[in-house]
Structures are given as structure tokens and as C-alpha cells.
Amino acid sequence: IYPKLLRTFWRNVEFVNKKTIASKVLGVQIMLSNDIITKATGCLREGSTYQEGWEKNYDSHVTRALYWENIEKAGDQKTTVYNLMCEKAKIWANILNKSVLYKADSKTTLLDLHKFVLFHLMENLPFDLPHTIYINILRNLKGLAGLDDIFYATLINKMLWD
């Protein structure tokens, strides 16, 4: 029954406004926003916030952080090549794809949002995790039609039973 409740949550999602989504499960209205994710996760909203073009603030530091010893092979890539990333970056990328920033598609290419988080983790820089999760939820919702994957199960579970 648990997977059915989660699928019901995602299939019933409606946009309240740009900053909030809502869904109804078993007659219970559940709201989801940056502030609600902050409260549910206990993560503070500090540090850098993801936005398109974020890399411009870091010059070549992003490439160096992700590729390290393979920087020469990586050259001037337009996309991040998973196979050329250093081992530490690959481990973090796998953790992100399977949990914090769930991603159902290819493991061999990184979305810009994943690259943002990966860079901040590799360089030990603070970033706004609740906002990043919310952006990722919105991106996943765009492709939700027919999606059978259950993403952010623990977060939604907390919202259902709190």
C-alpha cells in the first residue's frame, strides 16, 4: 500500500504558486515548498543557491574539482563526462542520483543542478540544499506522466504521517 500512497501523492500534485506544490492523499492535503523541506530535513538554507549560469562565478574551478587527475583528458567539454570524472566525484554523483537529487535518466551525464551540488560537495562549499531539492522535484514533475518511479519517498512519508 505504501508505494500506492506515494504514487497517488505524485499523480495528484498541483501547483499552488511558483513556490508551493500541493497534493491530496487519503483526503489529507499535503503542501511542499522550500520552507517545508527545510523544516522536514532540518537543513538550513545557507550558502549558494542554484541558478542557471552558476558556473560563471567559478571559472575553471568546476572542471578541476570534478576531473582532478583526468583534467587533460576532459579538455573543454560542454557536458560533464561521468567516465572522466575523478573517483571521489563519481561516488558523490552516484549518491546524488540515487538519493538526494533523484534522477531516473542516464547515469553517464550530469544535469546542471547535479553538477552544481557535486562541485559544492567536492570543494566543501555550503549550498542551499532544501532549495536544490525543491528545484529537482519540479524538474521530475515535468516528466511525471507515466513515471512509475517513486522519488523522495522518505520526504513524502514524513509529510504524510507528521
Side-chain angles (χ1 to χ4, degrees):
I1 191 159
Y2 178 66
K4 287 183 181 180
L5 290 175
L6 291 169
R7 285 187 183 97
T8 300
F9 173 86
W10 290 116
R11 288 196 177 109
N12 291 339
V13 164
E14 295 178 359
F15 291 88
V16 175
N17 56 45
K18 287 184 178 183
K19 296 182 179 185
T20 307
I21 58 175
S23 185
K24 200 175 260 192
V25 178
L26 299 175
V28 176
Q29 179 85 12
I30 300 166
M31 308 293 276
L32 201 52
S33 68
N34 285 326
D35 291 337
I36 292 168
I37 294 170
T38 299
K39 184 178 176 188
T41 61
C43 292
L44 299 175
R45 296 197 59 203
E46 296 179 347
S48 299
T49 302
Y50 173 80
Q51 57 189 333
E52 287 188 36
W54 67 272
E55 278 184 87
K56 293 174 187 165
N57 298 327
Y58 299 99
D59 294 328
S60 63
H61 297 292
V62 176
T63 303
R64 189 171 49 252
L66 300 184
Y67 293 115
W68 283 2
E69 68 273 3
N70 297 327
I71 198 162
E72 296 297 323
K73 292 179 190 173
D76 192 21
Q77 298 284 333
K78 296 292 182 210
T79 59
T80 304
V81 180
Y82 177 85
N83 293 338
L84 295 178
M85 290 186 336
C86 66
E87 286 305 311
K88 183 179 174 184
K90 286 180 184 178
I91 291 168
W92 274 118
N94 287 329
I95 291 169
L96 290 173
N97 289 345
K98 301 287 185 219
S99 59
V100 179
L101 291 179
Y102 175 80
K103 185 176 109 166
D105 55 354
S106 172
K107 142 182 160 170
T108 60
T109 57
L110 291 179
L111 300 174
D112 194 49
L113 183 63
H114 288 74
K115 191 174 177 179
F116 169 82
V117 173
L118 189 55
F119 168 72
H120 283 77
L121 290 171
M122 295 291 292
E123 294 294 304
N124 294 318
L125 297 171
F127 65 97
D128 186 343
L129 181 59
H131 176 71
T132 307
I133 290 171
Y134 188 72
I135 289 172
N136 199 55
I137 287 171
L138 296 179
R139 286 184 172 181
N140 277 302
L141 286 173
K142 288 180 182 177
L144 191 57
L147 183 64
D148 232 13
D149 292 321
I150 300 171
F151 55 98
Y152 293 107
T154 304
L155 179 63
I156 302 309
N157 185 45
K158 181 164 179 53
M159 310 310 289
L160 282 170
W161 307 116
D162 273 1

